[in-house]
Amino acid sequence: MKRVTLLGATGSIGLSTLDILARHPERFTLHAVTADTSHARMAEICRRFRPAVAVMRDASAAAELRALLEDSETRVLAGAEGLAEVAAEPAVDIVVAAIVGAAGLLPTLAAVQAGKRILLANKETLVMAGDLFMAEVSRHGAELLPVDSEHNAIFQCLPAASLGGIDGAGVDRILLTGSGGPFRDLPLEELGDVTPEQACAHPNWDMGPKISVDSATMMNKGLELIEACWLFGVQQEQIEIVLHRQSIVHSMVSYRDGSVLAQLGNPDMRTPIANALAWPERISSGVEPLDLVAVSQLDFSAADERRYPCLRIAREAWRAGGTGMAVMNAANEVAVEHFLRGGFGFADISDLIETVLASLPPVPAEDLETVLEVDDKARKLARQIIQQRT
Ligand code: NAD
Ligand code: MG
């Protein structure tokens, strides 16, 4: 029986994880769940799964949850200390890192430092502090398994034990696939007028709002490029981004001898989550078997950096190294937040990120304090620029 802490239980990845756990009560038990503010949804989860602990990041949401769970055995904690506590709890075997954005960094790091098996969905953690994070993973003997569908696909197409470095595996290139998002066919001049609702209506995946907008700008693929570099110990030149509209091939590995291995499946995050939860075994996930005859066609094309400037920005940030990636991530989070709220244009997202990057040139990401400081500076600057423009 494996004990699981689920960080970000009320989100899209969180709910998919709960669905898998419910299918395998003989394998997994839920120790703790966490969320930001949504106490009503959290109360439902606690009544159904009866975890020992529930953490709300927000203190008043924790008080509301405590009232809702008055007659339950679930202990309610609040704030950053609560998050770190359940991530590092000695009785826990697996921590699912499914908080969105930079807020996931510290609790995920706490799980790493406690030497857990970590199922990483929170890619922003690796983008902000990949070097430090990977060093901590090896120092504490943590087991890092990718949940992001592309990285889980690459992981499955590589020889066992490839995380952290694929030297000697005969890999020529990694082919990172992306659907191109909801605006892939929209005339470029119409990109300025798109609404948050349109940006969140992804053609193939049902995801949280932030990653949906990231998919529309393809900053998501930029973040994933950096995520792949850290996870597999490769340079960005070894990664080719390929547009694939059907989201059936989740990524590929091309080998020196001309072989290309791909992982295919219906676009449903329960597949990579189940894969990582049970690895190296395989368990059922509830995902419909892939019907290739019904799909009938798989298309591939190159990604146009004029349509998706965030791809170029992410490649440049990786190349420059240091704190530039944390700056890029923070500016993107602020831009997306403002776009989702309305009053900030979709086409202005990449522009804002570049402006903030130009004002905060990268320095070596020597320690966590440096990264957190830079993250804070970049957010403040991004908000200031938005205020001046509106
Ligand atoms: P979501 O918005 O649906 O859920 C986010 C979760 O994080 C919620 O439980 C929320 O309560 C919690 N949260 C938000 N802000 C927080 C804060 N400041 N402190 C603590 N908790 C906070 O997001 P999602 O789509 O499930 O994505 C989660 C992560 O997984 C992201 O990093 C995303 O890039 C990654 N990911 C998601 C998908 C997907 O299909 N949704 C696929 C691949 C990777
Ligand atoms: Mg992905």
Side-chain angles (χ1 to χ4, degrees), residues 123 148-151 220-221 224:
K123 62 193 90 185
D148 211 347
S149 58
E150 296 76 3
H151 304 74
N220 184 50
K221 217 46 58 182
E224 289 183 354

Side-chain angles (χ1 to χ4, degrees), residues 7-14 34-38 57 83 97-101 103-104 121-124 147-150 205-211 214 220 223-224 269:
L7 304 172
T10 53
S12 156
I13 294 288
T34 84
D36 189 25
T37 54
S38 41
R57 198 266 318 151
L83 290 173
I99 292 175
V100 61
N122 178 235
K123 62 193 90 185
E124 292 91 346
V147 162
D148 211 347
S149 58
E150 296 76 3
W205 297 95
D206 182 11
M207 309 181 285
K210 192 257 177 185
I211 184 175
D214 283 350
N220 184 50
L223 301 177
E224 289 183 354
M269 288 308 292

Side-chain angles (χ1 to χ4, degrees), residues 14 19 37 59 72 91 173 205 212 217-218 222-223 233 236 251 258 279 307 311 336 343:
D19 182 276
T37 54
S72 117
R173 265 172 322 145
W205 297 95
S212 296
T217 60
M218 277 194 96
L223 301 177
Q236 57 120 341
S251 277
W279 188 83
R307 182 178 292 277
L311 289 178
V336 170

Side-chain angles (χ1 to χ4, degrees), residues 33-47:
V33 285
T34 84
D36 189 25
T37 54
S38 41
H39 50 85
R41 221 178 304 165
M42 191 61 136
E44 276 170 39
I45 292 172
C46 291
R47 280 195 206 101

Side-chain angles (χ1 to χ4, degrees), residues 74-264:
T74 301
R75 193 158 61 96
V76 178
L77 302 178
E81 306 78 47
L83 290 173
E85 181 182 323
V86 293
E89 160 63 43
V92 162
D93 306 287
I94 299 174
V95 176
V96 181
I99 292 175
V100 61
L105 173 61
L106 294 179
T108 308
L109 206 52
V112 166
Q113 288 161 345
K116 306 295 184 199
R117 168 177 285 202
I118 290 133
L119 269 57
L120 188 72
N122 178 235
K123 62 193 90 185
E124 292 91 346
T125 281
L126 275 182
V127 172
M128 287 175 77
D131 208 0
L132 297 166
F133 189 85
M134 293 307 284
E136 289 295 278
V137 167
S138 38
R139 191 146 74 101
H140 297 278
E143 186 185 26
L144 189 60
L145 294 171
V147 162
D148 211 347
S149 58
E150 296 76 3
H151 304 74
N152 184 266
I154 296 162
F155 176 67
Q156 292 193 50
C157 295
L158 286 169
S162 293
L163 280 175
I166 52 171
D167 288 353
V171 173
D172 171 41
R173 265 172 322 145
I174 286 172
L175 304 171
L176 187 66
T177 54
S179 69
F183 308 134
R184 58 197 178 194
D185 301 319
L186 197 73
L188 284 182
E189 60 280 8
E190 290 176 29
L191 277 179
D193 304 321
V194 300
T195 66
E197 291 69 37
Q198 291 170 316
C200 288
H202 195 280
N204 306 335
W205 297 95
D206 182 11
M207 309 181 285
K210 192 257 177 185
I211 184 175
S212 296
V213 177
D214 283 350
S215 298
T217 60
M218 277 194 96
M219 176 51 95
N220 184 50
K221 217 46 58 182
L223 301 177
E224 289 183 354
L225 175 93
I226 295 169
E227 182 186 11
C229 288
W230 290 122
L231 280 176
F232 304 111
V234 297
Q235 278 304 319
Q236 57 120 341
E237 290 78 10
Q238 288 169 272
I239 301 178
E240 182 179 338
I241 293 171
V242 180
L243 284 196
H244 166 49
R245 12 188 351 115
Q246 292 86 0
S247 301
I248 295 292
V249 174
H250 298 303
S251 277
M252 299 171 263
V253 176
S254 167
Y255 287 90
R256 201 174 284 160
D257 62 4
S259 302
V260 177
L261 302 193
Q263 187 261 358
L264 284 73

